[in-house]
C-alpha cells in the first residue's frame, strides 16, 4: 500500500489530521489498533475551546455538535463555602463548548468514511520505520501482514503508542511531572446541578461538576492515582460528591444511575522536539496535561491543524518551512497549556504533603482570581483558548 501521509491512531488527533488533509487534497491512511466501536465509546474529555469548536464547524464536521453541544459562557469555583462565577463572555468575549470527545470522534469517523477515507481498525503489531528516509508503517490487518509506504508519518497514537518510542535514544528530551493524586470520573443519568461547570476546592479534595446534556452529568472527584474503583460503590461516590460540592449545595445535587466510571492518574509530560525526520508527533503522543485545565483534546486539535498547514504548503509549493517550524510552533502553545493546566491543578487539589499554609494560599489564590478582573481575564483567556500561531 502507498499513501502520502500514514497516520497511526484514530483518536481526535489522527482523525482530524486525516480530515484536514483530505480537504487539502492530500491522501492519508489511518491505522488504529482498537475497533471502531471501542474508540467511539471511549469516554474522555468534554470541553472544546472556542476556536476548536469553530474549526469543527468550518471544516464540515460540526453540525451535530452545533445541535447537541452546550455553549457555556463561564465557569464557577466553589471554595470556602462560597460559589463564585467567572464570566468568560464578559471578560474575553468568548465561551467554550461542552461536547464529549467520543462524539467528536464519531462525527469525524462518519465524515471520513463518507468521503472515502481509509481507516483500518483492529490492526496489530504496528511498527514505524525509515523515519529519516523512506517511511513505512508495518502492521497486521485481518490476519495479513501489510506495509504502508508513505512520504510522512503522523504519530497520533497517544501516550502509550509506538511512534515516540521508535525515535532513537538520545534524540528526544522528555519533561515530566507526576501528581500524587488522580480523578475518579463518572457519567450518570441525572440533571446537572448547575448550567455551567463547578470546580470545587474542598478540605476532602477536589471535585468537578460537568455535564454532557441536560440529562447526563460528568462528575469527577480527586482520589489516589492508583485508587481501586472496586472500593467505590455508587453510594460512596455520591456521598463524596455531595460533601465536596459544599458551597453549591444549596443547588441540590440530583443523583442517577451510573453509566460509566473510571480512574485516571495525572501527569504533565512534554517531549521535545515533536519531530524526527519524517515522523511528526501530535497530541498525547507528544504531550500530556493534567485534565484540570480541559486542554488535552484541544492541544491535539491545535497540533494537527498546524501539521496539516505544513503538509499543505509542502504538497502545494514544495516548501518545507512550515513543516520545519512545526515542533517549535506547537511547543510554544503546548508549554502555555502545560503552565495553565499545572496552575489550575495546584490551585484546586489537596496534596498529601499540604499543610495549613498551603490551604490558606490556595484559598487566597481562588479569592484573587475570582475578585480581580485582571486575574479573572487571564484565566478566561487561557480557558477559552489562546490564539493560534497560524
Ligand atoms: P488518543 O485519544 O489517545 O488517541 C490515540 C489513538 O491511537 C487511540 O485510538 C489508540 O487506540 C491508538 N493507538 C495507540 N497505540 C497504537 C498503536 N500501537 N497502533 C495503532 N493505534 C494505536 N482531557 C481532558 O481535557 N479532560 C478529561 O477529562 C480527560 N480525561 C481523560 C481520561 C483518560 C482515561 C485519558 C487517557 C485521557 C483523558 N483526557 C482528558 C485527555 C484527552 O482525552 C486526550 O488529550 C486526547 O484523547 C488526545 O487525543 P489523541 O488523539 O492525541 O490521543
Ligand atoms: C471535563 C473534563 C475536564 O478535564 C475539565 O477540566 C472540564 C470538563 C468534562 O469531561 O466535561
Amino acid at each position: 500500500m502507498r499513501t502520502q501521509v500514514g497516520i497511526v491512531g484514530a483518536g481526535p488527533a489522527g482523525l482530524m489530521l486525516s480530515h484536514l488533509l483530505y480537504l487539502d487534497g492530500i491522501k492519508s491512511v489511518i491505522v488504529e489498533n482498537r475497533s471502531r466501536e471501542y474508540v467511539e465509546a471511549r469516554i474522555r474529555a468534554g470541553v472544546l475551546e472556542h476556536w476548536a469548536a469553530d474549526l469543527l464547524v468550518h471544516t464540515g464536521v460540526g453540525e451535530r455538535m452545533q445541535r447537541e453541544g452546550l455553549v457555556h459562557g463561564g465557569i464557577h469555583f466553589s471554595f470556602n463555602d462560597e460559589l463564585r462565577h467567572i464570566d468568560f463572555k464578559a471578560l474575553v468575549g468568548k465561551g467554550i463548548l461542552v461536547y464529549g470527545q467520543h462524539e467528536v470522534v464519531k462525527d469525524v469517523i462518519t465524515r471520513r468514511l463518507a468521503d472515502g477515507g481509509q481507516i483500518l481498525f483492529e490492526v496489530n503489531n504496528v511498527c514505524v520505520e525509515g523515519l529519516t528516509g523512506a517511511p513505512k508503517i508495518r502492521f497486521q490487518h485481518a490476519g495479513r501482514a501489510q506495509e504502508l509506504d508513505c512520504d510522512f508519518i503522523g504519530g497520533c497514537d497517544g501516550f502509550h503508542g509506538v511512534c515516540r518510542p521508535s525515535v532513537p535514544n538520545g534524540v528526544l528530551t522528555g519533561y515530566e511531572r507526576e501528581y500524587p493524586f488522580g480523578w475518579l470520573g463518572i457519567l450518570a443519568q441525572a440533571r446537572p446541578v448547575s448550567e455551567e461547570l463547578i470546580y470545587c476546592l474542598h478540605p476532602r479534595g477536589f471535585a468537578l461538576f460537568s455535564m454532557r446534556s441536560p440529562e447526563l452529568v460528568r462528575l469527577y472527584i480527586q482520589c489516589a492515582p492508583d485508587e481501586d474503583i472496586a472500593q467505590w460503590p455508587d453510594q460512596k461516590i455520591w456521598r463524596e460528591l455531595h460533601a465536596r460540592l459544599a458551597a453549591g449545595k444549596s443547588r441540590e445535587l440530583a443523583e442517577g444511575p451510573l453509566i460509566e466510571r473510571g480512574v485516571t492518574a495525572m501527569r504533565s509530560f512534554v517531549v521535545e522536539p515533536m519531530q524526527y525526520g519524517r515522523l511528526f508527533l501530535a497530541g498525547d503522543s507528544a504531550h500530556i496535561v493534567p485534565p484540570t485545565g480541559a486542554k488535552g483534546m484541544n492541544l491535539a486539535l491545535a497540533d494537527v491543524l498546524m501539521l496539516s498547514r505544513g503538509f499543505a504548503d509542502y504538497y502545494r509549493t514544495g516548501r518545507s518551512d512550515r513543516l520545519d517550524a512545526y515542533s517549535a510552533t506547537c511547543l510554544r502553545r503546548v508549554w502555555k497549556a502545560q503552565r495553565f493546566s499545572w496552575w489550575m491543578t495546584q490551585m484546586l487539589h489537596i496534596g498529601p504533603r499540604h499543610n495549613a499554609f498551603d490551604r490558606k494560599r490556595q484559598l487566597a489564590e481562588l479569592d484573587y482570581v475570582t475578585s480581580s478582573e485582571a486575574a479573572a481575564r487571564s484565566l478566561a483567556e487561557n480557558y477559552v483558548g489562546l490564539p493560534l500561531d497560524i
Side-chain angles (χ1 to χ4, degrees), residues 43-47 96 98-100 183 197 199 206 208-212 218-220 290-296 344 383:
I43 308 291
R44 287 188 171 175
V47 171
I96 48 139
V98 175
Y99 188 63
W183 279 12
L197 275 56
Y199 286 83
F206 170 79
L208 169 60
F209 295 79
S210 182
M211 67 206 71
R212 289 292 178 271
R218 179 78 170 139
L219 312 174
Y220 300 95
T292 329
K295 292 281 164 258
M344 287 282 281
Y383 200 100

Side-chain angles (χ1 to χ4, degrees), residues 343-362:
W343 175 74
M344 287 282 281
T345 303
Q346 61 83 36
M347 179 168 68
L348 288 161
H349 292 75
I350 310 284
R353 280 197 245 118
H354 271 193
N355 61 18
F357 176 88
D358 297 299
R359 213 74 44 77
K360 288 278 189 188
R361 198 246 322 139
Q362 285 178 310

Side-chain angles (χ1 to χ4, degrees), residues 88-320:
F88 297 159
K89 280 265 162 67
L91 289 161
V92 292
K94 292 176 189 166
I96 48 139
L97 212 110
V98 175
Y99 188 63
Q101 173 172 324
H102 70 294
E103 307 291 359
V104 174
V105 163
K106 278 191 227 166
D107 295 344
V108 185
I109 289 178
T110 304
R111 178 62 193 262
R112 274 287 47 229
L113 296 179
D115 287 335
Q118 251 189 304
I119 310 174
L120 305 178
F121 290 102
E122 297 180 77
V123 302
N124 291 312
N125 303 328
V126 175
C127 67
V128 293
E129 46 191 68
L131 302 179
T132 52
K136 190 192 287 281
I137 306 177
R138 287 184 199 274
F139 54 96
Q140 292 200 303
H141 186 236
R144 286 178 48 210
Q146 302 270 13
E147 287 182 16
L148 175 63
D149 291 310
C150 29
D151 300 335
F152 299 99
I153 295 178
C156 304
D157 49 349
F159 185 68
H160 300 287
V162 294
C163 289
R164 192 180 67 250
S166 302
V167 176
N169 285 340
V171 173
L172 305 178
T173 307
Y175 302 85
E176 186 160 17
R177 164 177 291 231
E178 286 191 14
Y179 297 83
F181 35 76
W183 279 12
L184 189 160
I186 63 162
L187 193 66
Q189 267 165 356
R191 195 169 25 83
V193 68
S194 154
E195 284 192 353
E196 292 177 337
L197 275 56
I198 306 181
Y199 286 83
C200 306
L201 172 67
H202 188 270
R204 297 180 68 84
F206 170 79
L208 169 60
F209 295 79
S210 182
M211 67 206 71
R212 289 292 178 271
S213 76
E215 297 88 35
L216 205 56
V217 292
R218 179 78 170 139
L219 312 174
Y220 300 95
I221 42 186
Q222 177 184 344
C223 62
D226 55 353
E227 192 78 42
D228 178 7
I229 194 95
Q231 303 303 313
W232 285 82
D234 296 13
Q235 279 205 331
K236 184 173 166 189
I237 295 176
W238 288 113
R239 209 180 326 124
E240 266 318 306
L241 286 164
H242 279 288
R244 297 185 193 190
L245 181 59
K249 232 187 313 195
S250 55
R251 289 165 173 264
E252 204 207 324
L253 176 65
E255 298 184 12
L258 267 62
I259 297 170
E260 212 258 354
R261 70 185 80 205
V263 169
T264 315
M266 282 162 73
R267 155 188 290 130
S268 301
F269 172 76
V270 181
V271 83
E272 292 191 5
M274 291 166 57
Q275 177 198 359
Y276 172 66
R278 291 175 163 257
L279 169 70
F280 291 84
L281 301 174
D284 276 18
S285 74
H287 41 72
I288 299 278
V289 284
T292 329
K295 292 281 164 258
M297 172 171 46
N298 295 292
L299 278 182
L301 295 175
D303 287 353
V304 296
L305 180 57
M306 293 297 168
L307 189 52
S308 70
R309 299 301 83 214
F311 286 139
D313 268 10
Y314 176 84
Y315 284 111
R316 201 176 305 132
T317 67
R319 293 182 57 157
S320 64

